[in-house]
Amino acid sequence: STTPVKVAVTGAAGQIGYSLLFRIASGSLFGPDTPVELRLLEITPALKALEGVVMELDDCAFPTLSSVEIGDDPEQVFDGVNHALLVGARPRGPGMERGDLLEANGGIFAPQGKALNKVAADDVRVTVTGNPANTNALIAMSNAPDIPAERFAALTRLDHNRAISQLSSKLSVPVTEIRKMTIWGNHSATQYPDLFHAEVGGRNAAEAVGDQQWLEETFIPTVAKRGAAIIEARGASSAASAASATVDHVRDWAQGTPDGDWVSMSVCSDGSYGVPEGLISSFPVTVSDGAWSIVQGLEIDDFSRGRIDASVAELEEERTAVTGLGLLG
Ligand code: NAI
């Protein structure tokens, strides 16, 4: 198709934006034959820096980039967008409690949800990368009553990719041998990366590892605390890998998942696997024709059940907190 796909990115002048925009503009989401129109949202004081990023986008002369618009008004920037990548968020400052963090982000994601509801294209798909991603997605979704709930998702693809990478190095196999990785629950330290349903070269991954202690004491915490390890090493939070995971997530949502595999996405629960309805929680999903479905029928043993329940309990607490703050529309 030659009609450009309109892609909005918020927080476009930030770290993730500096990597993400160039991947999108070079055709990573929809391939070399589909032009994209970028719509970039920032807060007013960051617009000047964003103009500099746009100068660099121009200087790449990307064949797939049809135009770029920037602004600080969500209703203008989101007008007619087919994909909205909500990256900009309020980070936790010194002395900020979780309630303060949720409230500050509600002040961003409630109005952005309302703006999307009003002006986005009928087929809009909304991906929330900005943290706390799951609950920010819940806030945006509940403030956009005319957009079907299944068009909102939060990013757990970075955790998914991290889990694949850890398993690949543990077993000295290429990442291409690994299928059916799952992240369950919240994009936080309580997340549960599940090897019991993953496969390595067609074999069950937990069996291939054959070491429950490594799984519990090394694999799960390494994946769950990877973000903190990167901050410790780099002095800044993961940005290029978060951008790359955002690209993977949006690309697969648009183009579908391969046969015989699935991906992790945080989506609105229908009650599957005992996750309360309406929570945005990470599941194994397949995508076809632009619509995701939660993989059904996986057997969940007691170990996995406990881990999933703990992360889902955290999501419920966050939902209770933002409900109490009046942030759900
Ligand atoms: P950053 O601080 O470098 O950039 C964020 C940008 O958002 C800033 O330029 C800021 O001006 C902008 N912004 C703030 N409020 C805004 C609003 N109301 N509208 C539009 N823009 C707004 O942060 P970075 O490193 O790019 O990370 C962005 C978010 O992604 C953070 O919340 C971070 O925690 C999260 N993240 C999520 C990951 C995931 O796997 N889900 C992984 C890594 C980061």
Side-chain angles (χ1 to χ4, degrees):
S1 138
T2 50
T3 314
V5 180
K6 294 185 175 68
V7 181
V9 179
T10 72
Q15 280 205 93
I16 293 176
Y18 196 64
S19 181
L20 179 61
L21 301 183
F22 296 84
R23 298 281 307 276
I24 299 172
S26 62
S28 296
L29 294 181
F30 314 111
D33 301 324
T34 306
V36 291
E37 183 176 324
L38 280 174
R39 302 292 194 81
L40 309 180
L41 184 72
E42 259 296 351
I43 53 173
T44 317
L47 285 175
K48 179 156 182 264
L50 185 54
E51 281 169 18
V53 178
V54 175
M55 288 162 70
E56 289 202 74
L57 281 167
D58 290 344
D59 293 349
C60 294
F62 287 123
T64 38
L65 184 58
S66 74
S67 64
V68 185
E69 277 180 44
I70 73 171
D72 57 6
D73 175 1
E75 279 194 23
Q76 227 164 342
V77 172
F78 293 157
D79 189 30
V81 298
N82 308 106
H83 285 270
L85 281 49
L86 308 185
V87 177
R90 176 75 194 275
R92 190 186 291 244
M96 221 172 162
E97 301 292 331
R98 191 167 62 163
D100 303 330
L101 182 74
L102 292 169
E103 187 164 21
N105 279 291
I108 296 174
F109 288 86
Q112 289 185 0
K114 290 191 171 89
L116 286 165
N117 194 61
K118 197 163 166 192
V119 301
D122 285 345
D123 69 350
V124 68
R125 289 176 172 74
V126 183
T127 295
V128 177
T129 295
N131 279 321
N134 295 58
T135 295
N136 288 342
L138 177 70
I139 293 168
M141 179 181 84
S142 75
N143 282 278
D146 303 327
I147 301 175
E150 64 267 21
R151 305 284 194 69
F152 288 82
L155 189 76
T156 32
R157 185 61 172 267
L158 179 55
D159 311 293
H160 176 101
N161 289 346
R162 286 165 171 168
I164 289 175
S165 167
Q166 291 301 318
L167 182 61
S168 148
S169 72
K170 168 74 174 170
L171 297 176
S172 306
V173 297
V175 290
T176 48
E177 291 285 299
I178 297 171
R179 304 227 192 294
K180 301 185 177 175
M181 183 60 72
T182 306
I183 304 295
W184 299 92
N186 198 2
H187 168 68
S188 77
T190 67
Q191 65 175 270
Y192 172 47
D194 173 4
L195 289 189
F196 294 99
H197 300 99
E199 294 174 2
V200 180
R203 186 169 169 218
N204 181 275
E207 280 167 25
V209 168
D211 183 349
Q212 181 72 14
Q213 193 181 355
W214 177 81
L215 193 155
E216 285 186 41
E217 290 172 18
T218 304
F219 172 73
I220 294 173
T222 300
V223 173
K225 296 179 189 160
R226 186 71 162 178
I230 285 166
I231 292 174
E232 171 66 24
R234 204 173 84 86
S237 63
S238 44
S241 55
S244 192
T246 301
V247 165
D248 289 345
H249 166 113
V250 177
R251 181 201 59 221
D252 289 352
W253 197 356
Q255 298 192 26
T257 47
D259 282 344
D261 201 359
W262 65 58
V263 297
S264 304
M265 284 173 68
S266 285
V267 295
C268 187
S269 179
D270 59 357
S272 291
Y273 299 103
V275 179
E277 225 175 292
L279 283 182
I280 304 264
S281 190
S282 191
F283 288 100
V285 304
T286 55
V287 179
S288 122
D289 296 324
W292 52 262
S293 336
I294 296 172
V295 174
Q296 296 296 326
L298 302 179
E299 262 180 59
I300 307 295
D301 68 10
D302 289 346
F303 175 78
S304 294
R305 184 76 264 160
R307 296 288 177 143
I308 295 170
D309 287 351
S311 194
V312 167
E314 182 183 49
L315 285 171
E316 286 196 275
E317 281 170 28
E318 291 182 13
R319 178 165 69 178
T320 303
V322 296
T323 305
L325 291 164
L327 293 170
L328 300 190

